Structures are given as structure tokens and as C-alpha cells.
Amino acid sequence: MTATEMEELFLIEYDRVTSFDAPGYTANEISEILSSAQEQLIFHTYNPLGNKYQKGLEEVELTTADLQELVSESNLTSSASQIGVLTNGRFFDLPVNHWLTLMEEVTIATDSCFNGAKGIVKPITHDEYTINRNNPFKKPAVNEVTWRLTNSGRRFELVTDGNYTITTYNMRYLIKPQPIITATGITVDGVAGPLNCQLKSTTHRRIVKYAVRIAAGITDAQMYQVKTIEQNSGN
């Protein structure tokens, strides 16, 4: 569907669930709602606890195909600036279009037989780092795991045990989708329309259902709860 067709379907479905007894929305507001709904669908697909199958993106073939247009990958080398890095840590600047991480591993350089091997990356919190950094049974190891902490919104910090170095940080990730904008003269997140949904057509009706749920929740909290239950049950 085009963005205009998604707007038309939204209006039909919104009137149906509200029995024509709710405030209308402008084209600009509908573009904002559709764009938010698109992100909600992606988050629910990405997070196993956020969808009715209780499975993540790559565990269900349909969802993998739905978001295929957003998948990208990069092999990163460490950042030019390492000011403030933790002991045995290295900063890696994220790709400019990085949004959600799907897969990550490191390529290792060491004097041992593991030279050139691929290593597992484990995301941890700063509290976990503080608690376990001196624990020989939980800290990073060349043949086990490299820790990854979020240093800021645009870079990660990888921590080793000091006995190996990281030559490349290999990442597969989702880029943030462009907004859905229904008409000329409308701007969402600084992007001017019109813009159609860049996801596969199989997602468009589901995005509209999410949008109706959002719109119903704005005007009626009880209706929001009803639509949430319907969404989680797959109706």
C-alpha cells in the first residue's frame, strides 16, 4: 500500500472501532501515528517478549522477511579516540545508520592458537562489569566471551581480559525505517513527505492495526486496553 492508502485504511478502521464517536485526526497527525506504529511493530518483532509467538526476529521466517529491507552489516575497527576507556577496553563507533543490533562477534588477535578466531560478544551493564571484573569465572576470556557495554548512544565499548586484542568488531543490525508520510507539506522527524512505508507490503495492514490502537488510546484509555489485547492475540 502507498502511504495514502494506509491513511485511508486507518480512517476506516479507526471509525469502525470508535463507532464514529471520536475526534478526527489531521493528515499530519496520522503520519505521526503511522510512523510510531511502524516502530512499535519493529520493536515487537525484534523483542521475543513483545509478540504473540514469544520468538525473536530470526526465529520466525515471516518476521525475518518482513524486516529484510532494514538489515545491514559492518566490520568495525576501534575508534580513533580511546579517552576514558575501561581497563582492557576499546571503544568502537557505531555505523551512522545503526538502530538495533541483531548479531555481533569479534575477530581476535592473540599469540595463542585462537589467533584470527571469531569470538562471542556478551552485552552487559556497568553494574555487571563492576561486580564481575575480578571474578576469574565470569570475566572475559579469549576462548569464551568478550564483554560489550554501551558507552553512549553512538558507540560501544568492548572489554577483554587483556590476553587478546580485537582486530574487528563484526555487526549485523537494523537501520531505522523512514517515516510514513501521507502527503506533501508534512514533516515527521525532520523528514519531508510524501513517503511510502519501506517495509514489505505484508506488514502494512499490521502497521495500520498498531496505528488504530495508538489513536484509540489517545482518545480512550479503555479502548487502548481492548486494542492491546487484540493486538497481542493476533486479531
Side-chain angles (χ1 to χ4, degrees), residues 87-191:
T87 302
N88 300 324
R90 297 291 292 176
F91 290 141
F92 289 80
D93 294 325
L94 296 175
V96 294
N97 60 353
H98 173 273
W99 189 40
L100 298 171
T101 304
L102 292 177
M103 181 278 293
E104 49 193 328
E105 66 179 9
V106 292
T107 303
I108 292 169
T110 177
D111 293 335
S112 72
C113 60
F114 293 105
N115 187 56
K118 302 292 185 182
I120 296 171
V121 175
K122 178 184 178 182
I124 68 167
T125 66
H126 283 81
D127 284 344
E128 289 175 303
Y129 169 83
T130 301
I131 292 169
N132 295 317
R133 61 185 170 183
N134 295 320
N135 186 331
F137 301 104
K138 291 190 176 182
K139 67 181 185 179
V142 62
N143 60 336
E144 294 179 8
V145 67
T146 295
W147 284 347
R148 187 261 283 170
L149 298 92
T150 301
N151 180 264
S152 71
R154 296 310 317 157
R155 66 179 179 180
F156 287 161
E157 183 173 5
L158 302 184
V159 179
T160 73
D161 64 355
N163 294 319
Y164 64 99
T165 58
I166 298 167
T167 56
T168 57
Y169 174 33
N170 314 306
M171 173 186 292
R172 184 168 294 169
Y173 58 94
L174 293 180
I175 64 175
K176 191 171 184 177
Q178 66 188 21
I180 301 170
I181 306 178
T182 62
T184 303
I186 296 174
T187 300
V188 177
D189 294 336
V191 180

Side-chain angles (χ1 to χ4, degrees), residues 16-71:
R16 182 176 66 82
V17 301
T18 60
S19 301
F20 299 91
D21 188 28
Y25 287 99
T26 66
N28 192 95
E29 290 169 334
I30 293 172
S31 295
E32 292 276 3
I33 291 171
L34 286 171
S35 299
S36 295
Q38 176 179 234
E39 291 189 13
Q40 278 196 15
L41 178 140
I42 293 169
F43 281 129
H44 285 188
T45 302
Y46 175 80
N47 178 10
L49 299 180
N51 60 74
K52 67 176 181 175
Y53 301 108
Q54 300 290 287
K55 293 184 177 182
L57 171 62
E58 294 185 317
E59 295 178 278
V60 181
E61 183 176 356
L62 175 61
T63 58
T64 304
D66 285 345
L67 303 186
Q68 187 174 7
E69 284 80 3
L70 303 181
V71 177

